[in-house]
Amino acid sequence: MERMLKHKLKLTIIAVLSLMNLGVRAQSPDESIVAPIQQEQLRINPADFNSALDILVKDWYVNNSFTIDCKGMGQMMIDSLSADEITCRLEAISLGFTMPYNEYVMSFIKSYLRRPRQIEYMLGLGETYYFPIFEAALEKYQVPLELKYLPVIESALNARALSHAGASGLWQFMLATGRMYGLEVNTLVDERRDPIKSSEAAAHYLHDLYTIYGDWLLAIAAYNCGPGNVAKAIRSSGGKKTYWDIYNFLPRETRNYVPIFIAANYVMNYYREHGMCPARPNFNTTVDTLYVNERIHLQQIADVLSLPLEELRFLNPQYRYDIVPGNVKSSPLVLPMNVISAFEQNIDTIAQYKAAELVSQNMRSSSATTAPSSSSASNGHAIYHTVKQGETLSSIAKKYRTSVDKIKKWNKISGTMIRAGQRLKIYK
């Protein structure tokens, strides 16, 4: 009974926010309407996939997986396909709701297909690890399984993705919305990055949005720009209540969002017809979750069990400083199945290994906010680069013959998102 009352209260809050034109997900209505293309497009535009692959977790996956030459399996370009054929393909996968074909969808399909390697890595990452997690959560809340591709456009399947506005994780939750749906965020833990918990929260949120609008495309739009902006678009359109009827009244980013989502569904389902294959991992993807009651650093586990630290970070992205705070409360730890027994047998050794150095309160071992060392700065003088529209960390690193990792450390950037006009420190 108490749980039902809390859920009704949550729905009431979302509905009130809609009426008040306050986006649950956006930081403010003004931000999402005034400058969506200049700011938010960097996070969802397929052109930014190159940058999305540069972060630590993605680099680790890419370096530990392999692709297969599938060029002989289908056509690489879509130009030879007719609109009718694409329409038929979309209808074949539109089981939960209609995904129409139009010029906007076509433009984003082409954008995806120009980046076959990025698609192959996301396919492998999704099919091998993430998509089953998403599907389980969506099924629980009776949300169409096609929505498992939302994280493809939200974060490029990067669990550590952080937008300039503060949205984080695979599903890009803002702090307030994440906490509304039960996600813990504190100094050490950010459950918006937890694949399982964030997927459950996202499915719950999408279910609630559909309860309000009764239309999945409107629910998807509200997920992107907040229910307040959708409510405003409905009012501005004279009370029309379908996505395409209110299209011109939505924030510009959201006008792109649904066509990109439809394009992602197309590419993720018909990649074989365009000569692509999922990139397969060279590591064990069979994992299990156990709970620990000790304060443990991932480096302790990596050293004692001879595991790559990046693999542990990949499996446990919610721990901001690589510290599992099991001493505060029982905390989940995801490990490869083949090391679970070794971990349980050596838990005391692991907890004591370099404990004073690795599990200290100053959290010097942070993987997300490590500043450049004095030696790295002393190797050259600093210059400043002003980011131009369309530039990514990858393109800037290439220009200055350095690495994305170094630029992020020098400028204390935890994600991969940069914006036009931002000044970056570069050591030559």
Side-chain angles (χ1 to χ4, degrees), residues 146-286:
E146 293 92 326
L147 270 68
K148 69 182 179 182
Y149 298 121
L150 273 182
V152 169
I153 64 174
E154 282 286 347
S155 61
L157 297 186
N158 164 22
R160 291 176 179 264
L162 179 67
S163 79
H164 75 281
S168 183
L170 290 159
W171 295 88
Q172 288 291 279
F173 270 105
M174 294 296 289
L175 181 61
T177 314
R179 284 178 170 164
M180 181 183 294
Y181 282 85
L183 299 179
E184 181 181 0
V185 181
N186 57 43
T187 302
L188 295 180
V189 179
D190 187 347
E191 289 184 343
R192 295 176 298 171
R193 299 176 176 182
D194 185 311
I196 295 175
K197 291 184 178 180
S198 68
S199 296
E200 172 125 351
H204 194 171
Y205 184 30
L206 286 163
H207 174 270
D208 287 351
L209 292 172
Y210 180 77
T211 301
I212 293 171
Y213 298 110
D215 182 285
W216 281 113
L217 292 185
L218 284 182
I220 293 170
Y223 187 89
N224 174 250
C225 67
N229 285 316
V230 172
K232 180 178 179 180
I234 291 173
R235 291 196 301 270
S236 299
S237 70
K240 296 178 180 178
K241 294 185 178 180
T242 71
Y243 173 79
W244 299 107
D245 284 335
I246 69 170
Y247 177 85
N248 289 320
F249 301 98
L250 289 166
R252 290 185 65 186
E253 177 205 347
T254 309
R255 293 179 222 166
N256 286 340
Y257 191 77
V258 169
I260 291 176
F261 168 73
I262 295 173
N265 267 270
Y266 175 89
V267 174
M268 291 287 150
N269 280 278
Y270 293 105
Y271 59 88
R272 292 183 185 88
E273 284 75 5
H274 297 281
M276 290 181 280
C277 289
R280 298 302 182 188
N282 281 323
F283 54 92
N284 184 5
T285 58
T286 304

Side-chain angles (χ1 to χ4, degrees), residues 185-395:
V185 181
N186 57 43
T187 302
L188 295 180
V189 179
D190 187 347
E191 289 184 343
R192 295 176 298 171
R193 299 176 176 182
D194 185 311
I196 295 175
K197 291 184 178 180
S198 68
S199 296
E200 172 125 351
H204 194 171
Y205 184 30
L206 286 163
H207 174 270
D208 287 351
L209 292 172
Y210 180 77
T211 301
I212 293 171
Y213 298 110
D215 182 285
W216 281 113
L217 292 185
L218 284 182
I220 293 170
Y223 187 89
N224 174 250
C225 67
N229 285 316
V230 172
K232 180 178 179 180
I234 291 173
R235 291 196 301 270
S236 299
S237 70
K240 296 178 180 178
K241 294 185 178 180
T242 71
Y243 173 79
W244 299 107
D245 284 335
I246 69 170
Y247 177 85
N248 289 320
F249 301 98
L250 289 166
R252 290 185 65 186
E253 177 205 347
T254 309
R255 293 179 222 166
N256 286 340
Y257 191 77
V258 169
I260 291 176
F261 168 73
I262 295 173
N265 267 270
Y266 175 89
V267 174
M268 291 287 150
N269 280 278
Y270 293 105
Y271 59 88
R272 292 183 185 88
E273 284 75 5
H274 297 281
M276 290 181 280
C277 289
R280 298 302 182 188
N282 281 323
F283 54 92
N284 184 5
T285 58
T286 304
V287 300
D288 199 1
T289 302
L290 47 80
Y291 283 79
V292 297
N293 298 302
E294 304 277 353
R295 188 180 179 92
I296 297 175
H297 196 287
L298 297 182
Q299 187 71 62
Q300 293 175 294
I301 304 171
D303 288 351
V304 175
L305 299 185
S306 299
L307 291 172
L309 177 60
E310 282 74 16
E311 181 176 5
L312 294 174
R313 287 173 174 165
F314 171 79
L315 296 174
N316 300 276
Q318 69 270 35
Y319 297 120
R320 287 175 153 176
Y321 296 92
D322 294 345
I323 294 175
V324 183
N327 61 318
V328 177
K329 68 175 184 178
S330 188
S331 300
L333 178 67
V334 180
L335 292 174
M337 186 74 80
N338 60 346
V339 302
I340 294 287
S341 177
F343 176 85
E344 292 176 335
Q345 292 174 9
N346 293 280
I347 180 63
D348 292 336
T349 302
I350 291 170
Q352 295 169 15
Y353 175 79
K354 293 186 177 179
E357 175 185 341
L358 293 172
V359 196
S360 59
Q361 290 292 335
N362 60 22
M363 296 172 293
R364 288 190 297 267
S365 58
S366 165
S367 63
T369 57
T370 303
S373 65
S374 58
S375 60
S376 66
S378 64
N379 287 336
H381 63 280
I383 61 172
Y384 289 89
H385 174 86
T386 300
V387 178
K388 299 179 179 63
Q389 190 69 35
E391 284 188 318
T392 65
L393 287 176
S394 181
S395 65

